[in-house]
Amino acid sequence: MSEAKQMKYEKPDSGERVDEGGTTMKFRPVLHALTANPGADMMDYARKKQNIITLGQGEGDAPTPDFICDATMEAMKSGRTFYGPVLGQERLRQSLSNYYDRIYNLDISPERVFVTGSGSTAMHLSLAALVDKGEEVIAVTPIWKNLIGAIELTQATTKQVSLDYIDDEWKLDLEKLFGAVNERTKVMLIVTPSNPTGWTATEDELRQILDFARERGIWVLSDEVYGRLVYEGVRAPSFLDVAKEDDLLLVVNSFSKTWAMTGWRLGWIVGPKEAESKIRDVALYNKLCPPDFIQFGAMAALDQGEDFLKSQLDLWRSNRDIVVERFKKMGNVHLSYPKSTFYAFFKVDGEEDCIALTKRLIDEAGVLLSPGSAFGESSKGYIRLCFAVSEARLTEALDRIERVIAPKG
Ligand SMILES: Cc1ncc(COP(=O)(O)O)c(C=O)c1O
C-alpha cells in the first residue's frame, strides 16, 4: 500500500475535504476551495495530442534576445551567484526609476520600486501585504485566472465586476464598479491593459477610480504588465500618472512580456515609500530575494531593449490585423479590435459553451486556445487567441480554425 494510502484518515465535520484528485492529507481547506482553472485543463487536454499549434498561452514565441542573455551570462560567470538584497539590487531599482522617467515621464524614486521574482510574485506579495480572511477584493473581469487564484489563496473573498461588451468594445461602467464596494472592500484590482480583452483604462478613468478609492481609504492594486504592449504611442496610461506619492496604490509590473523574458521570472512593484518595509517583510519570508544574475539581464533590457520591443510590436500589430481581418470575413465572429496586448478575445455566433468549442478546436483543428470561462464568470462564451507568433504559424492556425468555425455553405 502506498504511503499516501496508509495516511488516509476520515474525520467528519473537521472542515477538511477530500478533493477530486483523491487527496486525503491534511492540506489547508482553502486549497480544496480553489475554483477550477479551465485554461490549465485545456492545456492538459491538448498535451496528449499531436501536431497542435498553441496559441493558448500568454507569451510570444521569440526567444529572449542575445543582449539580455549575454549580460546575464557575464554576471553569472563573474560570480554573481549569491543572495542579493531582498527588494533587488540598488542599481536595478535605480534603472527602473530612470525607465519611468524616460518612458513614462514620471518621477519615481528608487525606494518606491520593489523588485520581485516575477509579476506573479509581485501580485502575491502585494495581496499578502494587504488582505486578510474576511476582507474583499473587487476584481475587474474578464481577468487572468491566476490573479483570481492569488486572491483565493489569501482567503479574502473576490467580487467580480465585469467590463461590458457594447458595440464591439469592452467598456468599464464606473458606477457598477463603485457600487460593488462595501464595508469589507479592501482592494480594487484592475488589470490595464487587460488580459484577455485588451481593454485599456483611459487616464480619466484611472483618475476617477483613484479619487474614489482615496476618499474611502481603499487600496488600488493595478496590474500593468501589458503597459508597453500598445499599438499607438509608447505606453498605456498608468495609475502612476494620476497618483500622489502616498496614495494607497501598488502597481505590479514584469519583464516577461515586454522583453520576451517569461521564463526568467522577474517583476517589480511600485508603491508608496511606506510600503517598502512591509513588502520587504513579506518578500524576505517568501523568496528572500530575486535572483541576482538575472537582474543584470533586466538592466540590459531596460537600457537597450527599445528596438527589440519595437520589432516585436511591429510583428504583433500586423498579426493583429490579420486576425481581425480573417474573423471579420468569416462573418460569424465578434471581437473588439485590440489596441493593446497580444490577445484577440472573440465570440462565435451560436457557440455559447467555450469549453466545448475549445475542445473541438483542439480535436478538429489541432489549435489550442483559451476558453473564456478561464477569465471570470461573465466571459463564458468567449475564446482567447494569443497572436504573438510568426505570421506563418498564425496563418496556419487561422486556416485550421476557419475550417471548424466558419459558417458552412
Ligand atoms: C495580467 C497578467 N499579470 C501578470 C502575469 C504574469 O507575469 P509574470 O510572467 O511576470 O509572472 C500575466 C501573465 O500572463 C498576466 O497576464
Side-chain angles (χ1 to χ4, degrees), residues 179-199:
V181 169
N182 62 37
E183 66 288 348
R184 293 196 299 124
T185 308
K186 185 74 176 285
V187 171
M188 286 197 273
L189 169 60
I190 292 149
V191 183
T192 176
S194 145
N195 168 12
T197 59
W199 168 81

Side-chain angles (χ1 to χ4, degrees), residues 91-258:
R91 49 181 154 167
L92 175 54
R93 300 176 75 184
Q94 181 65 56
S95 287
L96 281 160
S97 168
N98 299 346
Y99 172 75
Y100 274 107
D101 181 28
R102 205 170 60 244
I103 303 292
Y104 285 74
N105 199 21
L106 288 170
D107 180 13
I108 306 287
S109 64
E111 313 93 83
R112 294 184 56 205
V113 182
F114 322 133
V115 179
T116 62
S118 77
S120 303
T121 303
M123 187 54 74
H124 281 281
L125 297 179
S126 300
L127 288 167
L130 300 184
V131 296
D132 256 323
K133 192 172 181 172
E135 295 178 327
E136 190 155 273
V137 178
I138 294 184
V140 173
T141 64
I143 192 170
W144 186 45
K145 171 73 201 182
N146 289 31
L147 304 186
I148 298 293
I151 300 168
E152 288 173 350
L153 284 180
T154 69
Q155 294 186 274
T157 54
T158 313
K159 187 178 278 177
Q160 301 192 12
V161 174
S162 176
L163 299 170
D164 298 307
Y165 189 67
I166 303 168
D167 298 334
D168 290 339
E169 288 270 2
W170 290 96
K171 296 197 170 118
L172 175 62
D173 180 343
L174 287 175
E175 290 306 312
K176 190 161 77 170
L177 174 64
F178 299 157
V181 169
N182 62 37
E183 66 288 348
R184 293 196 299 124
T185 308
K186 185 74 176 285
V187 171
M188 286 197 273
L189 169 60
I190 292 149
V191 183
T192 176
S194 145
N195 168 12
T197 59
W199 168 81
T200 305
T202 62
E203 188 171 311
D204 185 50
E205 286 169 326
L206 298 174
R207 184 175 292 106
Q208 289 193 57
I209 294 167
L210 200 57
D211 284 350
F212 177 90
R214 191 183 292 128
E215 245 171 57
R216 284 156 187 80
I218 297 169
W219 280 89
V220 172
L221 181 50
S222 176
D223 180 325
E224 302 184 3
V225 161
Y226 295 93
R228 298 296 312 282
L229 272 57
V230 296
Y231 299 108
E232 281 162 39
V234 288
R235 51 98 169 178
S238 164
F239 269 103
L240 295 167
D241 290 319
V242 294
K244 299 176 187 156
E245 263 194 45
D246 59 352
D247 271 328
L248 302 183
L249 170 69
L250 295 181
V251 175
V252 163
N253 217 318
S254 167
F255 290 86
S256 284
K257 318 283 175 177
T258 317

Side-chain angles (χ1 to χ4, degrees), residues 308-336:
F308 172 74
L309 174 60
K310 187 180 174 309
S311 69
Q312 292 282 97
L313 286 169
D314 287 346
L315 168 68
W316 299 339
R317 185 185 292 105
S318 153
N319 280 357
R320 170 198 61 177
D321 293 344
I322 290 171
V323 173
V324 172
E325 200 50 38
R326 283 290 286 269
F327 280 162
K328 223 197 287 170
K329 261 200 201 137
M330 284 183 221
N332 60 338
V333 181
H334 307 277
L335 81 165
S336 123

